[in-house]
Amino acid sequence: MPRYLSLVRIDENNAPAGGPSAELMQRMGELIEEMTKAGVLLDTAGLTPSAQGTRVHYEGGQLSLTDGPFTETKEVIGGYALMQCKDKAEAVEWTKRFLKVHEAEWTVTCELREVMEG
């Protein structure tokens, strides 16, 4: 079965100040448990704020490092989910369910990509 990576994109500047609510975390936990029991979810995690990150860039044979925050970037990857689904349609449905557990004040985009095998 193909694997799909869902990259969770958020705008750190417009995310709720207190972060995820307890209710959101509970709904997220329930969905994660359901996905795990269904054999779909292989791995998932949230990421630390971009202010704690470093970009490593390679261009023209040269490496450069930039410490966060990355002010020129509107959206950052706030987390990910690695799923194994029968097809892309199933991966899209799980991703929709993930997005729907969020409250209305959240703006979240998931970029869903199939993992290349071999």
Side-chain angles (χ1 to χ4, degrees):
M1 276 202 299
R3 294 179 300 155
Y4 296 88
L5 181 63
S6 179
L7 299 168
V8 181
R9 296 183 179 273
I10 62 168
D11 180 345
E12 289 179 315
N13 297 318
N14 292 325
S21 68
E23 295 82 9
L24 170 56
M25 294 307 292
Q26 180 179 343
R27 290 190 304 273
M28 188 73 64
E30 291 167 357
L31 180 61
I32 288 170
E33 183 177 341
E34 182 181 350
M35 292 175 75
T36 300
K37 285 181 180 176
V40 171
L41 188 62
L42 301 177
D43 191 27
T44 188
L47 301 176
T48 58
S50 67
Q52 298 173 22
T54 300
R55 286 188 177 160
V56 182
H57 181 74
Y58 181 77
E59 182 177 1
Q62 300 294 313
L63 287 170
S64 64
L65 302 174
T66 305
D67 289 331
F70 311 114
T71 56
E72 73 282 357
T73 303
K74 180 176 168 83
E75 289 184 331
V76 298
I77 298 173
Y80 69 93
L82 182 61
M83 301 176 284
Q84 188 165 23
C85 301
K86 63 183 177 192
D87 55 27
K88 187 176 181 179
E90 181 185 16
V92 167
E93 287 305 312
W94 284 111
T95 301
K96 286 176 169 179
R97 290 190 57 196
F98 165 78
L99 290 171
K100 288 181 181 179
V101 302
H102 292 79
E103 291 101 356
E105 64 266 17
W106 284 90
T107 300
V108 184
T109 301
C110 288
E111 181 179 332
L112 189 61
R113 310 264 301 271
E114 186 172 349
V115 176
M116 293 177 59
E117 302 294 340

